[in-house]
Amino acid sequence: MEHEGFSSPRRAEPPPSSGAERPSEPDLGDVADRILVARAAEGDDDAFAVLVHRHSGRLLALAYHMLGNLSDAEEAVQDGFISAWRRLPQFRGDAAFRTWMYRIVTNRCLNVRRAQTPSVALDAVAEPAAHDAGGEPARAAESTAATAALADALAHLRPGQRACWILRELHGLSYEEIAHVVGESEQTVRGRLFRARRTLMKEMASWR
């Protein structure tokens, strides 16, 4: 079944039953992640497709904020889901599936950034709030300039600091979740966030 650019292997369909009609299964969209993961680990590609649909949006936003390029972000997320599909039998559930996927995609993004020159698109952070058509054009221009300034400031953070800041400030992960995602201690995460915030405050001082 293909979904959001992800193609999972298909298993052979069982022959039609000659007995009574089986009751229909409940909508998988209402099933908890942990149950979907268990089913997907047993080869249920439909269950995995639901996980892809459920989490791909936030993972794509994460990858885009990390890389500043939509094409690279889509590739990182797709590669992340393919890796997750292959590794599902080894997934022990020490963390939530969402956190596990954040870790896979974040690591892929960090690898991509290490291989690139330190650059980022000027719109690599969330867009400013929609501007009222009746408002002042100067205010809209100032908001756009501030967004570009923040993107530029983020581009100069070290990759580990940038990842922690994005996961905390844009995705709302707890310190414990971020520590699991980046594979560091909570103390290290807090230190990276402190340095990232201090740097951004200096860079954005003229916009306060």
Side-chain angles (χ1 to χ4, degrees):
M1 178 185 217
E2 292 193 4
H3 191 282
E4 302 279 342
F6 172 82
S7 178
S8 57
R10 295 293 296 180
R11 294 174 294 119
E13 296 292 338
S17 172
S18 58
E21 201 175 298
R22 295 172 58 188
S24 59
E25 293 189 359
D27 182 4
L28 289 179
D30 298 327
V31 177
D33 276 5
R34 58 184 178 80
I35 297 176
L36 291 172
V37 170
R39 292 180 59 162
E42 295 174 352
D44 187 340
D45 51 329
D46 289 334
F48 193 73
V50 175
L51 290 168
V52 172
H53 176 77
R54 186 175 292 174
H55 297 285
S56 59
R58 290 186 65 81
L59 290 170
L60 182 59
L62 166 68
Y64 180 66
H65 288 126
M66 287 284 295
L67 300 174
N69 180 286
L70 183 57
S71 177
D72 289 344
E74 289 175 338
E75 183 175 354
V77 172
Q78 179 168 323
D79 288 348
F81 275 120
I82 292 173
S83 175
W85 170 263
R86 292 170 177 166
R87 294 162 54 188
L88 273 178
Q90 288 79 48
F91 178 63
R92 296 178 297 176
D94 296 335
F97 178 77
R98 181 192 74 154
T99 306
W100 188 53
M101 285 304 308
Y102 269 122
R103 180 170 188 170
I104 292 173
V105 173
T106 296
N107 284 337
R108 288 187 174 275
C109 291
L110 288 173
N111 289 337
V112 170
R113 283 183 60 81
R114 291 187 188 104
Q116 294 175 336
T117 55
S119 62
V120 67
L122 290 182
D123 59 350
V125 294
E127 294 183 359
H131 177 62
D132 182 357
E136 298 179 6
R139 183 176 300 175
E142 181 179 358
S143 178
T144 301
T147 299
L150 177 57
D152 187 60
L154 283 171
H156 290 89
L157 291 178
R158 292 183 177 180
Q161 293 177 13
R162 179 179 172 86
C164 289
W165 190 90
I166 291 170
L167 290 167
R168 178 65 178 174
E169 303 298 338
L170 300 184
H171 291 264
L173 270 65
S174 67
Y175 294 114
E176 181 181 2
E177 289 175 315
I178 297 172
H180 184 84
V181 167
V182 300
E184 300 287 355
S185 67
E186 287 188 47
Q187 183 178 359
T188 298
V189 168
R190 290 177 184 273
R192 287 181 180 177
L193 282 169
F194 173 79
R195 289 187 289 274
R197 288 165 176 162
R198 182 177 60 185
T199 299
L200 292 176
M201 284 181 66
K202 289 180 181 178
E203 294 285 338
M204 300 297 294
S206 61
W207 294 97
R208 285 171 20 205

Short mmCIF file of all heavy atoms in Angstrom, two decimals, residues 25-79:
data_model
loop_
_atom_site.label_atom_id
_atom_site.label_comp_id
_atom_site.label_asym_id
_atom_site.label_seq_id
_atom_site.Cartn_x
_atom_site.Cartn_y
_atom_site.Cartn_z
N GLU A 25 -13.42 -5.02 10.50
CA GLU A 25 -12.53 -4.54 11.55
C GLU A 25 -12.83 -3.08 11.84
O GLU A 25 -13.30 -2.34 10.99
CB GLU A 25 -11.08 -4.69 11.09
CG GLU A 25 -10.64 -6.13 10.94
CD GLU A 25 -9.14 -6.21 10.71
OE1 GLU A 25 -8.49 -5.15 10.64
OE2 GLU A 25 -8.63 -7.33 10.60
N PRO A 26 -12.52 -2.63 13.07
CA PRO A 26 -12.73 -1.22 13.39
C PRO A 26 -11.80 -0.33 12.59
O PRO A 26 -10.75 -0.78 12.10
CB PRO A 26 -12.40 -1.16 14.89
CG PRO A 26 -11.50 -2.34 15.13
CD PRO A 26 -11.99 -3.40 14.19
N ASP A 27 -12.17 0.92 12.46
CA ASP A 27 -11.36 1.88 11.73
C ASP A 27 -9.98 1.98 12.39
O ASP A 27 -9.87 2.31 13.57
CB ASP A 27 -12.06 3.24 11.74
CG ASP A 27 -11.30 4.29 10.95
OD1 ASP A 27 -10.27 3.94 10.35
OD2 ASP A 27 -11.74 5.45 10.95
N LEU A 28 -8.92 1.70 11.64
CA LEU A 28 -7.58 1.73 12.21
C LEU A 28 -7.18 3.13 12.65
O LEU A 28 -6.27 3.29 13.47
CB LEU A 28 -6.57 1.19 11.19
CG LEU A 28 -6.62 -0.31 10.91
CD1 LEU A 28 -5.58 -0.68 9.85
CD2 LEU A 28 -6.39 -1.11 12.17
N GLY A 29 -7.85 4.13 12.11
CA GLY A 29 -7.53 5.50 12.50
C GLY A 29 -7.81 5.78 13.95
O GLY A 29 -7.30 6.75 14.53
N ASP A 30 -8.63 4.95 14.59
CA ASP A 30 -8.97 5.14 16.00
C ASP A 30 -8.13 4.26 16.93
O ASP A 30 -8.31 4.28 18.14
CB ASP A 30 -10.45 4.82 16.23
CG ASP A 30 -11.37 5.76 15.45
OD1 ASP A 30 -10.98 6.94 15.28
OD2 ASP A 30 -12.44 5.32 15.02
N VAL A 31 -7.22 3.48 16.36
CA VAL A 31 -6.42 2.54 17.15
C VAL A 31 -5.17 3.22 17.68
O VAL A 31 -4.54 4.03 17.00
CB VAL A 31 -6.03 1.32 16.28
CG1 VAL A 31 -5.13 0.36 17.06
CG2 VAL A 31 -7.28 0.59 15.79
N ALA A 32 -4.79 2.92 18.93
CA ALA A 32 -3.62 3.53 19.56
C ALA A 32 -2.34 3.13 18.84
O ALA A 32 -2.24 2.05 18.24
CB ALA A 32 -3.54 3.11 21.03
N ASP A 33 -1.35 4.00 18.93
CA ASP A 33 -0.06 3.76 18.27
C ASP A 33 0.54 2.41 18.65
O ASP A 33 1.03 1.67 17.80
CB ASP A 33 0.94 4.86 18.63
CG ASP A 33 0.79 6.09 17.76
OD1 ASP A 33 -0.15 6.13 16.93
OD2 ASP A 33 1.62 7.01 17.89
N ARG A 34 0.53 2.09 19.95
CA ARG A 34 1.21 0.88 20.40
C ARG A 34 0.60 -0.37 19.78
O ARG A 34 1.31 -1.35 19.50
CB ARG A 34 1.17 0.78 21.94
CG ARG A 34 -0.21 0.79 22.53
CD ARG A 34 -0.18 0.78 24.05
NE ARG A 34 -1.52 0.83 24.62
CZ ARG A 34 -2.32 -0.20 24.74
NH1 ARG A 34 -1.90 -1.40 24.33
NH2 ARG A 34 -3.52 -0.08 25.26
N ILE A 35 -0.72 -0.35 19.55
CA ILE A 35 -1.37 -1.49 18.92
C ILE A 35 -1.04 -1.53 17.43
O ILE A 35 -0.76 -2.60 16.86
CB ILE A 35 -2.89 -1.42 19.12
CG1 ILE A 35 -3.22 -1.50 20.62
CG2 ILE A 35 -3.60 -2.54 18.37
CD1 ILE A 35 -4.69 -1.34 20.95
N LEU A 36 -1.03 -0.36 16.80
CA LEU A 36 -0.66 -0.30 15.38
C LEU A 36 0.77 -0.77 15.18
O LEU A 36 1.07 -1.48 14.21
CB LEU A 36 -0.84 1.12 14.86
CG LEU A 36 -2.27 1.65 14.75
CD1 LEU A 36 -2.26 3.13 14.41
CD2 LEU A 36 -3.05 0.87 13.69
N VAL A 37 1.66 -0.38 16.08
CA VAL A 37 3.06 -0.79 15.97
C VAL A 37 3.18 -2.31 16.08
O VAL A 37 3.91 -2.96 15.31
CB VAL A 37 3.91 -0.11 17.06
CG1 VAL A 37 5.31 -0.73 17.12
CG2 VAL A 37 4.02 1.39 16.80
N ALA A 38 2.44 -2.90 17.03
CA ALA A 38 2.49 -4.35 17.20
C ALA A 38 1.98 -5.05 15.95
O ALA A 38 2.56 -6.05 15.49
CB ALA A 38 1.66 -4.75 18.42
N ARG A 39 0.90 -4.54 15.37
CA ARG A 39 0.35 -5.15 14.16
C ARG A 39 1.30 -4.97 12.98
O ARG A 39 1.50 -5.89 12.17
CB ARG A 39 -1.03 -4.55 13.85
CG ARG A 39 -2.09 -4.91 14.88
CD ARG A 39 -3.44 -4.32 14.55
NE ARG A 39 -3.95 -4.75 13.25
CZ ARG A 39 -5.22 -4.66 12.89
NH1 ARG A 39 -6.12 -4.15 13.74
NH2 ARG A 39 -5.61 -5.06 11.70
N ALA A 40 1.88 -3.78 12.87
CA ALA A 40 2.81 -3.52 11.77
C ALA A 40 4.04 -4.41 11.88
O ALA A 40 4.57 -4.89 10.88
CB ALA A 40 3.21 -2.05 11.76
N ALA A 41 4.50 -4.65 13.12
CA ALA A 41 5.68 -5.50 13.32
C ALA A 41 5.41 -6.92 12.87
O ALA A 41 6.34 -7.67 12.54
CB ALA A 41 6.08 -5.48 14.79
N GLU A 42 4.14 -7.32 12.85
CA GLU A 42 3.76 -8.66 12.39
C GLU A 42 3.50 -8.69 10.89
O GLU A 42 3.10 -9.72 10.35
CB GLU A 42 2.52 -9.11 13.15
CG GLU A 42 2.75 -9.30 14.65
CD GLU A 42 1.48 -9.61 15.41
OE1 GLU A 42 0.39 -9.52 14.78
OE2 GLU A 42 1.55 -9.92 16.61
N GLY A 43 3.71 -7.55 10.22
CA GLY A 43 3.57 -7.52 8.76
C GLY A 43 2.33 -6.83 8.25
O GLY A 43 2.06 -6.87 7.05
N ASP A 44 1.57 -6.15 9.12
CA ASP A 44 0.35 -5.47 8.70
C ASP A 44 0.72 -4.10 8.14
O ASP A 44 0.90 -3.13 8.88
CB ASP A 44 -0.60 -5.33 9.89
CG ASP A 44 -1.96 -4.78 9.48
OD1 ASP A 44 -2.05 -4.17 8.39
OD2 ASP A 44 -2.93 -4.95 10.24
N ASP A 45 0.85 -4.01 6.81
CA ASP A 45 1.25 -2.75 6.20
C ASP A 45 0.16 -1.70 6.27
O ASP A 45 0.43 -0.50 6.23
CB ASP A 45 1.70 -2.97 4.75
CG ASP A 45 0.71 -3.76 3.93
OD1 ASP A 45 0.02 -4.62 4.50
OD2 ASP A 45 0.64 -3.53 2.71
N ASP A 46 -1.12 -2.11 6.39
CA ASP A 46 -2.19 -1.13 6.55
C ASP A 46 -2.06 -0.40 7.89
O ASP A 46 -2.29 0.81 7.98
CB ASP A 46 -3.55 -1.81 6.46
CG ASP A 46 -3.88 -2.27 5.05
OD1 ASP A 46 -3.34 -1.66 4.10
OD2 ASP A 46 -4.65 -3.22 4.88
N ALA A 47 -1.69 -1.14 8.93
CA ALA A 47 -1.48 -0.52 10.23
C ALA A 47 -0.33 0.48 10.17
O ALA A 47 -0.40 1.57 10.75
CB ALA A 47 -1.20 -1.59 11.29
N PHE A 48 0.74 0.12 9.45
CA PHE A 48 1.87 1.04 9.34
C PHE A 48 1.50 2.26 8.52
O PHE A 48 1.96 3.37 8.79
CB PHE A 48 3.07 0.33 8.72
CG PHE A 48 4.35 1.12 8.86
CD1 PHE A 48 4.97 1.22 10.08
CD2 PHE A 48 4.91 1.76 7.77
CE1 PHE A 48 6.14 1.96 10.23
CE2 PHE A 48 6.07 2.49 7.90
CZ PHE A 48 6.69 2.59 9.13
N ALA A 49 0.65 2.08 7.52
CA ALA A 49 0.22 3.22 6.71
C ALA A 49 -0.53 4.24 7.57
O ALA A 49 -0.41 5.45 7.35
CB ALA A 49 -0.68 2.75 5.57
N VAL A 50 -1.29 3.77 8.57
CA VAL A 50 -1.98 4.68 9.48
C VAL A 50 -0.96 5.46 10.30
O VAL A 50 -1.11 6.67 10.53
CB VAL A 50 -2.94 3.91 10.41
CG1 VAL A 50 -3.57 4.85 11.44
CG2 VAL A 50 -4.04 3.24 9.59
N LEU A 51 0.10 4.79 10.75
CA LEU A 51 1.15 5.47 11.51
C LEU A 51 1.84 6.53 10.65
O LEU A 51 2.13 7.63 11.12
CB LEU A 51 2.18 4.46 12.00
CG LEU A 51 1.72 3.50 13.10
CD1 LEU A 51 2.74 2.37 13.29
CD2 LEU A 51 1.51 4.24 14.42
N VAL A 52 2.07 6.22 9.40
CA VAL A 52 2.67 7.18 8.48
C VAL A 52 1.77 8.40 8.35
O VAL A 52 2.23 9.55 8.45
CB VAL A 52 2.92 6.55 7.10
CG1 VAL A 52 3.37 7.61 6.09
CG2 VAL A 52 3.97 5.45 7.19
N HIS A 53 0.49 8.17 8.12
CA HIS A 53 -0.46 9.27 7.95
C HIS A 53 -0.56 10.11 9.23
O HIS A 53 -0.63 11.34 9.17
CB HIS A 53 -1.83 8.71 7.59
CG HIS A 53 -2.90 9.76 7.49
ND1 HIS A 53 -3.01 10.60 6.40
CD2 HIS A 53 -3.89 10.12 8.35
CE1 HIS A 53 -4.03 11.42 6.58
NE2 HIS A 53 -4.58 11.16 7.75
N ARG A 54 -0.52 9.44 10.37
CA ARG A 54 -0.72 10.12 11.65
C ARG A 54 0.46 11.01 12.03
O ARG A 54 0.28 12.06 12.65
CB ARG A 54 -0.95 9.07 12.74
CG ARG A 54 -1.30 9.61 14.11
CD ARG A 54 -1.62 8.47 15.07
NE ARG A 54 -2.86 7.79 14.71
CZ ARG A 54 -3.32 6.69 15.31
NH1 ARG A 54 -2.62 6.15 16.31
NH2 ARG A 54 -4.46 6.15 14.93
N HIS A 55 1.68 10.60 11.68
CA HIS A 55 2.86 11.31 12.16
C HIS A 55 3.67 12.03 11.09
O HIS A 55 4.59 12.79 11.43
CB HIS A 55 3.78 10.31 12.89
CG HIS A 55 3.16 9.71 14.11
ND1 HIS A 55 3.01 10.40 15.30
CD2 HIS A 55 2.62 8.48 14.34
CE1 HIS A 55 2.43 9.62 16.21
NE2 HIS A 55 2.18 8.46 15.64
N SER A 56 3.37 11.82 9.83
CA SER A 56 4.21 12.38 8.77
C SER A 56 4.19 13.91 8.76
O SER A 56 5.21 14.54 8.44
CB SER A 56 3.79 11.83 7.41
OG SER A 56 2.44 12.14 7.14
N GLY A 57 3.06 14.52 9.10
CA GLY A 57 2.96 15.97 9.05
C GLY A 57 3.95 16.65 10.00
O GLY A 57 4.72 17.53 9.59
N ARG A 58 3.95 16.23 11.26
CA ARG A 58 4.85 16.85 12.24
C ARG A 58 6.31 16.48 11.96
O ARG A 58 7.21 17.30 12.17
CB ARG A 58 4.46 16.42 13.66
CG ARG A 58 3.14 17.02 14.12
CD ARG A 58 2.85 16.71 15.57
NE ARG A 58 3.80 17.33 16.47
CZ ARG A 58 3.76 18.60 16.86
NH1 ARG A 58 2.79 19.40 16.42
NH2 ARG A 58 4.65 19.08 17.70
N LEU A 59 6.54 15.28 11.47
CA LEU A 59 7.91 14.89 11.14
C LEU A 59 8.44 15.69 9.96
O LEU A 59 9.61 16.06 9.92
CB LEU A 59 7.97 13.39 10.84
CG LEU A 59 7.77 12.48 12.05
CD1 LEU A 59 7.61 11.02 11.59
CD2 LEU A 59 8.93 12.59 13.02
N LEU A 60 7.56 15.97 8.99
CA LEU A 60 7.98 16.79 7.85
C LEU A 60 8.29 18.21 8.31
O LEU A 60 9.26 18.83 7.84
CB LEU A 60 6.89 16.79 6.78
CG LEU A 60 7.22 17.57 5.49
CD1 LEU A 60 8.47 16.99 4.83
CD2 LEU A 60 6.04 17.53 4.52
N ALA A 61 7.47 18.74 9.22
CA ALA A 61 7.74 20.08 9.75
C ALA A 61 9.08 20.10 10.48
O ALA A 61 9.86 21.04 10.33
CB ALA A 61 6.61 20.50 10.69
N LEU A 62 9.35 19.07 11.27
CA LEU A 62 10.63 18.97 11.97
C LEU A 62 11.79 18.96 10.99
O LEU A 62 12.76 19.73 11.13
CB LEU A 62 10.66 17.70 12.82
CG LEU A 62 12.02 17.27 13.36
CD1 LEU A 62 12.52 18.26 14.40
CD2 LEU A 62 11.94 15.86 13.96
N ALA A 63 11.71 18.10 9.98
CA ALA A 63 12.79 17.99 9.01
C ALA A 63 12.98 19.28 8.22
O ALA A 63 14.11 19.69 7.93
CB ALA A 63 12.51 16.82 8.05
N TYR A 64 11.89 19.96 7.91
CA TYR A 64 11.99 21.21 7.16
C TYR A 64 12.66 22.29 8.00
O TYR A 64 13.52 23.04 7.51
CB TYR A 64 10.60 21.67 6.71
CG TYR A 64 10.64 22.97 5.93
CD1 TYR A 64 11.25 23.02 4.69
CD2 TYR A 64 10.07 24.13 6.44
CE1 TYR A 64 11.31 24.20 3.96
CE2 TYR A 64 10.12 25.31 5.73
CZ TYR A 64 10.74 25.35 4.49
OH TYR A 64 10.79 26.52 3.77
N HIS A 65 12.30 22.37 9.29
CA HIS A 65 12.94 23.35 10.16
C HIS A 65 14.42 23.03 10.37
O HIS A 65 15.24 23.93 10.57
CB HIS A 65 12.23 23.41 11.51
CG HIS A 65 10.88 24.06 11.46
ND1 HIS A 65 9.73 23.46 11.93
CD2 HIS A 65 10.49 25.27 10.97
CE1 HIS A 65 8.70 24.28 11.73
NE2 HIS A 65 9.14 25.37 11.16
N MET A 66 14.75 21.76 10.33
CA MET A 66 16.15 21.36 10.50
C MET A 66 16.98 21.63 9.25
O MET A 66 18.14 22.02 9.33
CB MET A 66 16.23 19.86 10.83
CG MET A 66 15.77 19.49 12.23
SD MET A 66 16.99 19.91 13.51
CE MET A 66 18.33 18.81 13.07
N LEU A 67 16.38 21.40 8.07
CA LEU A 67 17.15 21.43 6.83
C LEU A 67 16.89 22.67 5.97
O LEU A 67 17.72 23.03 5.15
CB LEU A 67 16.84 20.17 6.01
CG LEU A 67 17.18 18.84 6.68
CD1 LEU A 67 16.70 17.68 5.83
CD2 LEU A 67 18.68 18.74 6.94
N GLY A 68 15.71 23.28 6.13
CA GLY A 68 15.42 24.48 5.35
C GLY A 68 15.17 24.22 3.88
O GLY A 68 15.23 25.14 3.06
N ASN A 69 14.91 22.98 3.54
CA ASN A 69 14.68 22.61 2.14
C ASN A 69 13.62 21.52 2.10
O ASN A 69 13.79 20.46 2.70
CB ASN A 69 15.99 22.12 1.51
CG ASN A 69 15.84 21.72 0.06
OD1 ASN A 69 15.28 20.67 -0.25
ND2 ASN A 69 16.34 22.55 -0.84
N LEU A 70 12.52 21.78 1.40
CA LEU A 70 11.40 20.85 1.41
C LEU A 70 11.75 19.51 0.79
O LEU A 70 11.37 18.45 1.30
CB LEU A 70 10.20 21.46 0.68
CG LEU A 70 8.91 20.63 0.67
CD1 LEU A 70 8.46 20.31 2.09
CD2 LEU A 70 7.82 21.34 -0.11
N SER A 71 12.51 19.53 -0.30
CA SER A 71 12.87 18.28 -0.96
C SER A 71 13.72 17.40 -0.04
O SER A 71 13.49 16.20 0.09
CB SER A 71 13.63 18.58 -2.26
OG SER A 71 14.05 17.38 -2.88
N ASP A 72 14.73 18.01 0.60
CA ASP A 72 15.57 17.27 1.53
C ASP A 72 14.75 16.77 2.72
O ASP A 72 14.97 15.66 3.22
CB ASP A 72 16.72 18.14 2.04
CG ASP A 72 17.77 18.41 0.97
OD1 ASP A 72 17.77 17.69 -0.05
OD2 ASP A 72 18.58 19.34 1.15
N ALA A 73 13.81 17.58 3.18
CA ALA A 73 12.99 17.20 4.32
C ALA A 73 12.10 16.01 3.99
O ALA A 73 11.98 15.06 4.77
CB ALA A 73 12.12 18.39 4.75
N GLU A 74 11.48 16.03 2.81
CA GLU A 74 10.63 14.91 2.40
C GLU A 74 11.44 13.63 2.29
O GLU A 74 10.98 12.55 2.69
CB GLU A 74 9.96 15.24 1.06
CG GLU A 74 8.89 16.32 1.17
CD GLU A 74 8.33 16.71 -0.18
OE1 GLU A 74 9.04 16.49 -1.21
OE2 GLU A 74 7.21 17.23 -0.23
N GLU A 75 12.65 13.74 1.75
CA GLU A 75 13.51 12.56 1.60
C GLU A 75 13.91 12.01 2.97
O GLU A 75 13.92 10.79 3.18
CB GLU A 75 14.76 12.91 0.80
CG GLU A 75 15.66 11.71 0.53
CD GLU A 75 16.83 12.05 -0.38
OE1 GLU A 75 16.87 13.18 -0.91
OE2 GLU A 75 17.70 11.18 -0.56
N ALA A 76 14.22 12.91 3.92
CA ALA A 76 14.60 12.47 5.26
C ALA A 76 13.46 11.74 5.96
O ALA A 76 13.67 10.72 6.61
CB ALA A 76 15.05 13.67 6.10
N VAL A 77 12.24 12.25 5.81
CA VAL A 77 11.09 11.61 6.44
C VAL A 77 10.79 10.27 5.79
O VAL A 77 10.53 9.28 6.48
CB VAL A 77 9.86 12.55 6.37
CG1 VAL A 77 8.60 11.81 6.86
CG2 VAL A 77 10.10 13.79 7.21
N GLN A 78 10.82 10.22 4.47
CA GLN A 78 10.56 8.96 3.78
C GLN A 78 11.60 7.91 4.15
O GLN A 78 11.26 6.75 4.46
CB GLN A 78 10.56 9.16 2.27
CG GLN A 78 10.30 7.86 1.50
CD GLN A 78 10.02 8.09 0.02
OE1 GLN A 78 9.37 9.06 -0.34
NE2 GLN A 78 10.48 7.19 -0.82
N ASP A 79 12.88 8.31 4.17
CA ASP A 79 13.93 7.38 4.57
C ASP A 79 13.74 6.93 6.02
O ASP A 79 13.99 5.76 6.36
CB ASP A 79 15.30 8.03 4.42
CG ASP A 79 15.72 8.18 2.96
OD1 ASP A 79 15.05 7.59 2.09
OD2 ASP A 79 16.71 8.89 2.70
#
